[in-house]
Amino acid sequence: MGNKISELLPTVSRSFKNYNIENRSHRFIQKDKLPAAPRHDSTADILEKFSKEHPELYEAQKVKDNVLDERLKTLHVDSTGKNQDIVAKKLPQSRKETEDPEFGFDEPASIPEGKVTLRQTLEFILNHQKYPEEYSSEQVAKEYKLDPVQVKNVLKHFQTFELHVSNEFKKRNEKAMKYLSSQRQEPTVYKLAESTDISKEIDKKTANK
């Protein structure tokens, strides 16, 4: 019972709080002088000091100056000539869709020393997998000017994916093999396996092409 009452109280209080809220809002907005927002303690001290030192100026800023208001209505600002700092850029004329970058973002034109791109990282990881003696961690670190310890950890914990297909699949799906080879920039060496689970998945994908 107590839980139900505690759940009901916010609903009841909200109903009283929102009662006739639209009319009350209009009356509040139509007031000639709205209440000022609360001042910060530091601002309040400065204003209090100013009101004591210059009471006439402090009271004058509270009253609307109709003369200044009329002058402001007659003020106009005209701009002539051209601004030399503003250069109008032409809109692109080509309506062709831009192709998405291979790795999802544009690669930098220049690479700072001690840094590598995602493409370079994948290249030396793949080379290390194929030729571990020629592309050792020391050789990679020397070639790309990287920290040998970091390179060693990268080669230890990261590898590229390898596709394993069976002899049966290669014989039955020459078209699929050509398609898979075209997805790589270099000739792909496919390792043979007896499992046919991946063969079934590739059969489905190539059938939709």
Side-chain angles (χ1 to χ4, degrees), residues 1 10 31 37 45 51 75 79 89 102 105 128 138 142 162 177 199-200:
M1 185 69 179
K31 289 182 179 180
D45 294 339
S51 63
L75 179 65
S79 178
K89 296 182 179 180
E102 183 178 357
F105 54 88
H128 178 74
E138 294 80 6
K142 182 179 179 181
E162 292 183 354
M177 295 300 295
S199 302
K200 296 177 182 178

Side-chain angles (χ1 to χ4, degrees), residues 28 34-45 47:
F28 182 81
L34 298 177
R39 297 188 177 95
H40 191 268
D41 294 339
S42 60
T43 307
D45 294 339
L47 290 175

Side-chain angles (χ1 to χ4, degrees), residues 101-144:
E102 183 178 357
F103 295 102
F105 54 88
D106 293 330
E107 298 181 50
S110 60
I111 306 167
E113 185 175 322
K115 304 289 184 180
V116 288
T117 63
L118 180 58
R119 182 189 300 276
Q120 292 174 327
T121 305
L122 292 176
E123 285 179 357
F124 70 69
I125 290 176
L126 181 61
N127 290 334
H128 178 74
Q129 287 181 221
K130 290 184 176 181
Y131 316 105
E133 295 181 358
E134 297 180 14
Y135 290 91
S136 62
S137 59
E138 294 80 6
Q139 182 63 27
V140 171
K142 182 179 179 181
E143 181 178 350
Y144 291 96

Side-chain angles (χ1 to χ4, degrees), residues 20 47 122 168 178:
N20 200 24
L47 290 175
L122 292 176
E168 182 184 355
K178 291 180 180 179

Side-chain angles (χ1 to χ4, degrees), residues 74-115:
T74 61
L75 179 65
H76 299 280
V77 179
D78 296 327
S79 178
T80 58
K82 295 183 179 181
N83 192 339
Q84 301 297 329
D85 295 335
I86 300 177
V87 179
K89 296 182 179 180
K90 294 183 179 180
L91 296 175
Q93 300 299 318
S94 176
R95 296 295 184 267
K96 296 181 180 179
E97 295 183 0
T98 57
E99 296 183 0
D100 293 332
E102 183 178 357
F103 295 102
F105 54 88
D106 293 330
E107 298 181 50
S110 60
I111 306 167
E113 185 175 322
K115 304 289 184 180

Side-chain angles (χ1 to χ4, degrees), residues 39 42-62:
R39 297 188 177 95
S42 60
T43 307
D45 294 339
I46 295 174
L47 290 175
E48 183 179 359
K49 181 180 179 181
F50 179 80
S51 63
K52 293 178 179 179
E53 295 178 353
H54 308 282
E56 67 285 355
L57 297 178
Y58 183 78
E59 295 298 329
Q61 56 90 25
K62 296 181 180 180

